[in-house]
Amino acid sequence: MWMLWILSAGLIALDGFDFFIIGVAMPFIQRDFGLSAGWVGAIATAALVGALIGSLILGPVTDQVGRQRMLVIDIGLFIVASLGTAFAWNAESLLFFRFLVGVGIGADYPISVSYITENIPARLRGRMVIGAFSFQSVGALLGALVGWLTIWIFQQSAPELAIAYAWRWMLGVGIALSVLVGGLRLLFLLESPSYYLSKGNYE
């Protein structure tokens, strides 16, 4: 149960990382693609819109197909969308992939909460849910550190390449983190007992 909680909190930390790192990367993206203020605003908020849609649509789907199956789908979507953002070739593709990242983030909230509330004893449930969501700030702090370190490395080694590649490296760290957390969570796949009961699978 502790491992399930840690991995659920880890995905929430990834959400915080992603929401923060795009703000650090945006000045580089704006100069690299020559974006207008409208495009900057659209790309910056695309993941938020996707998160809203993902939580509203994929949350109920989780109740229908099960937490385990949706977890695998969500991890796959997050990794693929993160890859797309790091290798985006223009503003339109970046906007699209940022939206998909948001959908994955939005889906992760109901999945993670369901995992915690349906597998953790009732006496610990409230504090564990609150504790897991506090990891979003941990992810944001990690995003700040990664952004600062990436800028420092490019300043020291190849400042002329910073505009074109610094933001891609920042977003690329998110890919590595999502693969790590996702791979660990796939080792601990466990369907919720409450889901089995809701489907009449008492055995």
Side-chain angles (χ1 to χ4, degrees), residues 5-52:
W5 179 82
I6 291 171
L7 294 175
S8 296
L11 267 183
I12 293 175
L14 278 179
D15 301 342
F17 174 88
D18 185 84
F19 279 142
F20 188 91
I21 198 67
I22 191 65
V24 183
M26 186 54 68
F28 296 92
I29 297 173
Q30 183 178 12
R31 292 185 63 182
D32 189 22
F33 288 153
L35 301 179
S36 65
W39 270 107
V40 170
I43 292 174
T45 58
L48 294 173
V49 176
L52 175 62

Side-chain angles (χ1 to χ4, degrees), residues 4 28 34 40 44 55 91 97 101 117 136 158 186 191 194-197:
L4 285 174
F28 296 92
V40 170
S55 61
F97 286 118
V101 166
T117 58
Q136 194 169 50
L186 291 177
E191 188 53 84
S194 297
Y195 173 75
Y196 282 133
L197 291 174

Side-chain angles (χ1 to χ4, degrees), residues 121-132:
R123 59 188 172 83
L124 300 174
R125 197 167 293 157
R127 73 186 76 171
M128 300 301 271
V129 171
I130 295 172

Side-chain angles (χ1 to χ4, degrees), residues 77-129:
L77 174 62
F78 195 87
I79 292 174
V80 170
S82 297
L83 277 169
T85 60
F87 291 97
W89 53 94
N90 56 26
E92 289 80 4
S93 62
L94 182 59
L95 179 68
F96 173 73
F97 286 118
R98 286 296 301 167
F99 174 80
L100 288 184
V101 166
V103 172
I105 290 174
D108 181 55
Y109 291 142
I111 295 173
S112 294
V113 171
S114 297
Y115 255 102
I116 295 172
T117 58
E118 296 173 1
N119 287 288
I120 298 294
R123 59 188 172 83
L124 300 174
R125 197 167 293 157
R127 73 186 76 171
M128 300 301 271
V129 171

Side-chain angles (χ1 to χ4, degrees), residues 111-170:
I111 295 173
S112 294
V113 171
S114 297
Y115 255 102
I116 295 172
T117 58
E118 296 173 1
N119 287 288
I120 298 294
R123 59 188 172 83
L124 300 174
R125 197 167 293 157
R127 73 186 76 171
M128 300 301 271
V129 171
I130 295 172
F133 274 95
S134 70
F135 269 67
Q136 194 169 50
S137 60
V138 175
L141 176 60
L142 180 61
L145 294 175
V146 168
W148 174 83
L149 182 60
T150 303
I151 293 172
W152 182 83
I153 291 174
F154 273 93
Q155 285 178 339
Q156 299 299 315
S157 58
E160 69 280 1
L161 299 178
I163 297 301
Y165 294 102
W167 66 271
R168 297 182 187 275
W169 281 96
M170 293 178 195

